[in-house]
Amino acid sequence: MPDFLRSDDQLRALRPLVPTETPADAALDTVGDFLHATLRPVLKLQNALLLAAVADFVRDHHIALATADAPTQQRLLAELLGRNTKLRYTIIGLATALFTAAEYAYYRTQRPELNRRLLELARQRVLGQAAAVGALAAA
């Protein structure tokens, strides 16, 4: 077995199981299949790193997230995730670094749509854990 295939199996083995209607061994024929089979598990695996990266950007931009109430935290994080290009590319890099060779090849053919979906999933994860991001940013 070539080394890159062994590496791909190791990457897949790291990912947590995420309940999905798509069989795990199904071919990635659509963007939706890719979202469920790859993006969701990768983002779940990278959750702690995702939150830490966002918290770093909160600190770097001197956003008073820890002292804000919950609705304000949500708004501040949504604004940061929506307008900060550097943060958006950091999030994309956190996810794509854990793609297999075949997943990355597919990603390259559908990059704009997959980036949109990846960033939306990441936004939902971060906003759902806004208090944790605030605590990390305050630390």
Side-chain angles (χ1 to χ4, degrees):
M1 174 182 287
D3 286 341
F4 75 90
L5 290 178
R6 190 173 313 117
S7 174
D8 288 352
D9 290 340
Q10 292 167 340
L11 280 173
R12 278 199 258 345
L14 290 172
R15 297 178 188 165
L17 295 176
V18 176
T20 181
E21 295 172 9
T22 305
D25 60 347
L28 300 178
D29 292 336
T30 68
V31 171
D33 293 340
F34 191 84
L35 176 123
H36 293 297
T38 302
L39 294 181
R40 290 178 65 220
V42 165
L43 282 174
K44 186 172 184 176
L45 175 66
Q46 292 290 76
N47 188 66
L49 194 55
L50 171 66
L51 298 182
V54 173
D56 284 345
F57 275 82
V58 166
R59 263 193 309 276
D60 291 348
H61 290 86
H62 309 287
I63 299 170
L65 195 65
T67 58
D69 61 2
T72 304
Q73 283 181 338
Q74 298 275 321
R75 182 182 55 77
L76 291 170
L77 285 171
E79 288 174 4
L80 180 66
L81 291 164
R83 73 168 189 259
N84 192 303
T85 303
K86 188 175 177 183
L87 175 58
R88 293 166 62 91
Y89 284 125
T90 298
I91 292 169
I92 290 167
L94 287 173
T96 58
L98 293 178
F99 287 176
T100 65
E103 290 166 344
Y104 191 74
Y106 179 77
Y107 166 79
R108 289 179 55 213
T109 67
Q110 302 292 326
R111 188 182 323 237
E113 178 63 15
L114 289 172
N115 282 348
R116 185 188 69 75
R117 289 182 183 224
L118 188 154
L119 290 167
E120 177 57 27
L121 286 173
R123 186 185 73 77
Q124 291 171 5
R125 279 192 160 276
V126 169
L127 293 180
Q129 301 172 79
V133 174
L136 287 170

